[in-house]
Structure formats: structure tokens, C-alpha cells
């Protein structure tokens, strides 16, 4: 057996040959991506921008001028979009308005009692829910958007002492004693904001009938104002004060009241009940407690004679609960 031993030797290339090769074959210079062959880079940017601008403007002009003729031949061709119908426009406006009032909506009832109290102090106002047919929830858009649950525009940021809603008008009293009225029955069908009709810091409670607004203050004075502008009544715009018959006793004061369609009932801290008719139909069904045939003057609070003492009263359209 013969054995051949071989040993690999490294390939040695003289450095002089490498230098000669580099000189004969220089590396190509790097070219920027934004360069154009035959055009200096500083010129190409402006040239490309101007070309794109001109081509875009020319395309828009051609399309706008010859759109009817070109539309059938375009991939997205077709006829002109139809004008939205009245119902579609109203639906879009309704959706837009509902999105707009979401920021004013009261939070859901999943908050705890403490969280609701904290939220109420940081977001004062009057919040209404229900039909807006007569502009009671949103007087700025009467007649539309039923089922709103939002702050009544114009009363944001006000601490409300008392509020009352009739069919076509509403009233509220804030912490400073300002009485605000609104609704289509009070201000008409045009969009409007709640209007301040009376300022008295002592006013603490308000009630509403079909045609009137009744206000009570801490001095046991009962005042009646027009709630519906078209109401046929002798009460002028400044309102009228109701008189008591007989007069209140020594240190006797009114603590609560309620109103029906055309009558009002008040309770004193002595347990007495006074009722009054606000117009000729105020005792049509005996709701004043004096009998249906009793002759009672309007705008006069007469006491119901009874051996019982009452704590509160609630008036329906033509009846009274004690």
C-alpha cells in the first residue's frame, strides 16, 4: 500500500495586482432614488411636481366638463346620484341632531347613588325625556326628535328648584328665583329659548295648568301667570295674586300646592286645604271640594271645612286627592 500525503497551500496574490485591478475597474458612484437620468436632481423635483399638478388640474377640468358623456364609459360609471327626498333629509337631520345632543344627555342609571349625586353637582340643569311635539324637551327644535333625554337648552348650568310641565308649555325656577317659561303654547311654533318672565328670590315652587303657571313663594303668596299665550283670561302678562278666604291664621304658611286643568289646591302647615278656580270651568265637576253646584269666585283660595288635617294634595285634570 502506498500513501500519498498532500498539504493545501494558501493562494497568495500580490498586493500590487489588487491595486492595479482597482484602478482599472473603479466602483460606480451611488445614484439617489429621486434622480432622473439626464436631469439634474435639483430640477427634477420641481419638474415632477409641476407635471403632476398640471395633469391633475387638466383631468379634473375634463371630467367636470364632460362628466355626463364620460360617465357611461368609466368603470364606476352610472347615472347622476338622485336628490335626497324630504323624508331622507329629515332622517339625516334627525340623526345629526341626536348625535349633537348626546353630549348633553344624562348618564345611564348604572351609576351608584353617590356617583349620581356627584355628577348632578358638576352638571346642573333641567333634564327632560319624552315627546318634543310642543318643544318641551328641546324648544329650539319643536315638533321633532321624540324621545329625547337631554338638558333643556337655555337652562344649562342652572340649579333648578322646581319645574312643571303642562301639555303645550312648561315652567321652571332656578336657585336665584328666576321663573323661566317655554313651549309652543307659550312662545309659538318658532324655535325659541326659555324666557325669564318673573324674578323673585323667594319663589320656591311652581305648578302648571293647561293655560296658567302658578308660583308659590316663602311668604305664602300664590301668583298666577299666563302659561299659554292664546288663553282667554283676564290675567295680564304681569300675573295676578290669589287671595285667601278666610285669611291664613297666625304663623300659618303654605307648605305645598298642586294644580289641575283649571284649578289649584294648597296645603298649609296647620293641615288646612285651600282650593281656587282659575277660570269658569274650575269647579265644573266639584273638584274644589265645595260641591259641584257651589258658586265660587275665580282666583280666590277658599278653605275646605273639614275636621281632618291633611298633609298633601294632588290634583288631576278635574279631580283632587287629599
Amino acid at each position: 500500500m502506498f500513501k500519498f500525503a498532500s498539504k493545501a497551500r494558501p493562494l497568495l496574490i500580490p498586493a500590487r495586482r489588487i491595486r492595479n485591478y482597482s484602478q482599472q475597474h473603479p466602483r460606480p458612484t451611488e445614484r439617489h432614488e429621486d434622480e432622473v437620468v439626464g436631469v439634474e436632481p435639483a430640477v427634477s423635483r420641481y419638474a415632477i411636481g409641476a407635471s403632476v399638478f398640471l395633469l391633475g388640474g387638466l383631468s379634473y377640468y375634463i371630467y367636470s366638463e364632460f362628466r355626463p358623456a364620460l360617465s357611461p364609459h368609466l368603470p364606476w360609471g352610472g347615472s347622476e346620484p338622485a336628490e335626497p327626498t324630504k323624508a331622507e333629509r329629515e332622517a339625516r337631520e334627525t340623526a345629526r341632531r341626536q348625535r349633537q345632543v348626546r353630549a348633553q344627555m344624562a348618564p345611564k342609571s348604572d351609576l351608584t347613588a353617590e356617583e349620581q349625586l356627584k355628577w348632578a353637582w358638576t352638571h346642573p340643569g333641567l333634564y327632560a325625556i319624552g315627546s318634543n311635539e310642543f318643544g318641551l324637551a328641546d324648544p329650539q327644535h319643536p315638533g321633532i326628535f321624540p324621545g329625547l333625554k337631554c338638558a333643556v337648552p337655555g337652562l344649562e348650568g342652572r340649579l333648578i328648584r322646581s319645574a312643571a310641565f303642562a301639555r303645550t308649555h312648561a315652567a321652571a325656577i332656578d336657585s336665584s328665583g328666576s321663573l323661566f317659561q317655554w313651549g309652543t303654547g307659550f312662545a309659538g311654533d318658532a324655535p325659541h329659548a326659555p324666557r325669564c318672565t318673573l324674578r323673585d328670590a323667594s319663589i320656591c315652587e311652581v305648578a302648571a295648568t293647561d293655560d296658567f303657571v302658578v308660583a308659590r313663594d316663602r311668604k305664602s303668596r300664590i301668583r298666577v301667570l299666563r302659561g299659554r299665550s292664546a288663553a282667554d283670561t283676564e290675567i295680564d302678562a304681569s300675573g295676578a295674586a290669589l287671595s285667601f278666604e278666610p285669611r291664613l291664621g297666625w304663623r300659618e304658611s303654605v307648605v305645598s300646592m298642586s294644580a289641575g286643568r283649571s284649578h289649584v289646591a294648597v296645603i298649609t302647615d296647620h293641615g288646612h286645604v285651600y282650593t281656587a278656580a282659575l277660570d269658569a270651568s274650575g269647579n265644573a265637576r266639584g273638584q274644589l271640594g265645595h260641591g259641584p253646584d257651589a258658586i265660587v269666585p275665580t282666583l280666590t283660595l277658599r278653605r275646605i271645612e273639614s275636621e281632618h288635617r291633611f298633609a298633601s294634595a294632588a290634583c288631576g285634570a278635574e279631580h283632587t286627592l287629599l
Side-chain angles (χ1 to χ4, degrees), residues 21-58:
Y21 180 84
S22 300
Q23 294 175 359
Q24 297 174 4
H25 302 81
R27 294 181 60 188
T29 58
E30 296 183 357
R31 185 175 296 278
H32 297 283
E33 295 179 357
D34 58 349
E35 290 184 1
V36 179
V37 177
V39 181
E40 291 296 332
V43 178
S44 65
R45 296 191 187 97
Y46 296 106
I48 293 175
S51 301
V52 171
F53 180 77
L54 291 175
L55 290 175
L58 182 61

Side-chain angles (χ1 to χ4, degrees), residues 269-291:
D269 54 359
H270 290 185
H272 296 149
V273 181
Y274 288 80
T275 58
L278 302 180
D279 57 24
S281 62
N283 195 44
R285 297 184 180 275
Q287 58 264 43
L288 298 183
H290 305 297

